[in-house]
Amino acid sequence: MITLEAYKKTMNILYIEDDQIFTLKIKSILDNFFKFVFIARNGEEALELFKTNKINLIISDINMPKMDGLTFLKNLRNINSDISFIFLTARKEVDTIIDAIQLDISNYILKPIDLNNFLFILDKTIQKDYKKYIKIEKKNLVKIDKDFFWNKKTKILLKNDISIKLTKKELLLIDLLLHSNDRIYTLSEIIYYLWDEDNEQKDCISSLKNIISRLRNKIPQLNIENIYGVGYKLKIIK
């Protein structure tokens, strides 16, 4: 399971601000923590960026030309009701923040920005998304033993949260055997799954045995069991 800091590195941020000098300062800070920072000068630009890119978090000023922050937020909520949203606001804009709360903003940051407070609120907001991410990830994980996990969604085998390098056929075999705990898969089922249209090749059974031998050497905890004359199964002890 990835840490909060590693999770941040997977996130794309949309930052909306019409003050170019201020934007450069904030972007230089955000670049240290996140995968990519998109910049928009107003709500119109921000909507186009949001529609054409994967965005995980939005930070927006309120007073901007063409389309202000509140109008942008109203338009955004018609497209996406869940994405985390932080407003940058001056104290005189408190009434606007009250309106924004009705549109489900995650938080707001007062200007002039205090860096420590800015980073604190960012972390507090991201932690909510991170907890949701971890909850979903746990549903995708199959526990092999205390150290080994298989991620059903990403098709990655993890040992102590570090992915283990496997060949394509090794991954396919693990994916099949772990699909149903303790089920016996016949040789023909396994060969078709691993080689598909190429299953007419003569050396499939020999190749399969080599794959299983390599996996047993790499990961003894997988406990791939040969059911003589039938096929193979992988039993996970829960």
Side-chain angles (χ1 to χ4, degrees):
M1 208 72 70
I2 66 172
T3 64
L4 176 62
E5 292 306 311
Y7 176 70
K8 289 180 191 177
K9 289 295 184 181
T10 69
M11 296 180 71
N12 293 325
I13 307 300
L14 174 56
Y15 180 70
I16 314 165
E17 168 70 67
D18 62 324
D19 185 326
Q20 292 186 13
I21 295 175
F22 190 69
T23 296
L24 290 174
K25 290 179 180 178
I26 296 297
K27 185 178 185 302
S28 67
I29 294 169
L30 296 175
D31 281 336
N32 293 319
F33 302 100
F34 301 102
K35 181 180 179 181
F36 194 83
V37 181
F38 293 95
I39 299 297
R41 292 170 296 180
N42 56 65
E44 286 185 3
E45 289 183 6
L47 273 179
E48 288 305 309
L49 281 170
F50 185 79
K51 290 175 182 177
T52 55
N53 296 278
K54 182 181 178 182
I55 308 293
N56 305 105
L57 170 67
I58 297 173
I59 305 170
S60 177
D61 193 18
I62 292 180
N63 288 322
M64 297 178 292
K66 293 188 178 180
M67 183 187 291
D68 62 50
L70 188 59
T71 304
F72 165 71
L73 178 58
K74 289 176 181 177
N75 282 280
L76 174 72
R77 287 303 182 220
N78 289 329
I79 303 170
N80 186 303
S81 60
D82 297 322
I83 188 167
S84 296
F85 193 105
I86 298 173
F87 257 138
L88 301 179
T89 177
R91 292 185 184 278
K92 63 183 180 181
E93 297 167 331
V94 171
D95 289 342
T96 304
I97 287 297
I98 292 172
D99 292 336
I101 288 172
Q102 305 304 313
L103 293 166
D104 195 22
I105 61 170
S106 306
N107 217 318
Y108 65 92
I109 299 171
L110 290 175
K111 289 183 174 182
I113 287 177
D114 173 83
L115 180 57
N116 289 331
N117 184 56
F118 178 72
L119 295 177
F120 173 77
I121 290 176
L122 262 184
D123 267 3
K124 187 177 179 181
T125 301
I126 293 166
Q127 280 172 0
K128 294 178 182 178
D129 291 336
Y130 176 65
K131 287 177 181 177
K132 291 178 185 176
Y133 167 81
I134 292 298
K135 189 175 181 179
I136 293 170
E137 280 298 288
K138 283 182 177 179
K139 291 180 180 178
N140 291 322
L141 291 180
V142 177
K143 184 178 180 180
I144 296 169
D145 75 354
K146 64 183 180 67
D147 297 323
F148 284 88
F149 289 86
W150 171 251
N151 191 311
K152 295 184 290 184
K153 182 180 178 182
T154 61
K155 312 299 183 189
I156 292 175
L157 185 66
L158 301 165
K159 181 181 181 182
N160 297 321
D161 294 334
I162 299 172
S163 62
I164 296 175
K165 188 174 182 180
L166 298 171
T167 67
K168 180 181 177 181
K169 292 291 190 287
E170 289 169 351
L171 287 173
L172 284 172
L173 181 58
I174 293 173
D175 187 38
L176 178 64
L177 295 179
L178 283 175
H179 185 72
S180 182
N181 183 39
D182 209 23
R183 177 192 159 180
I184 300 171
Y185 287 89
T186 66
L187 286 174
S188 59
E189 285 178 313
I190 296 171
I191 287 170
Y192 183 80
Y193 191 76
L194 266 63
W195 284 277
D196 200 5
E197 289 86 4
D198 298 328
N199 63 5
E200 71 278 0
Q201 64 177 325
K202 296 178 182 179
D203 294 332
C204 277
I205 293 177
S206 176
S207 297
L208 176 60
K209 288 179 179 179
N210 287 334
I211 292 168
I212 292 171
S213 179
R214 291 199 306 267
L215 282 173
R216 283 171 173 161
N217 288 330
K218 287 181 181 179
I219 316 146
Q221 293 88 339
L222 277 175
N223 191 27
I224 300 173
E225 186 178 347
N226 180 12
I227 309 302
Y228 184 76
V230 182
Y232 293 89
K233 71 175 182 177
L234 201 163
K235 185 172 184 178
I236 305 299
I237 301 172
K238 296 182 178 180

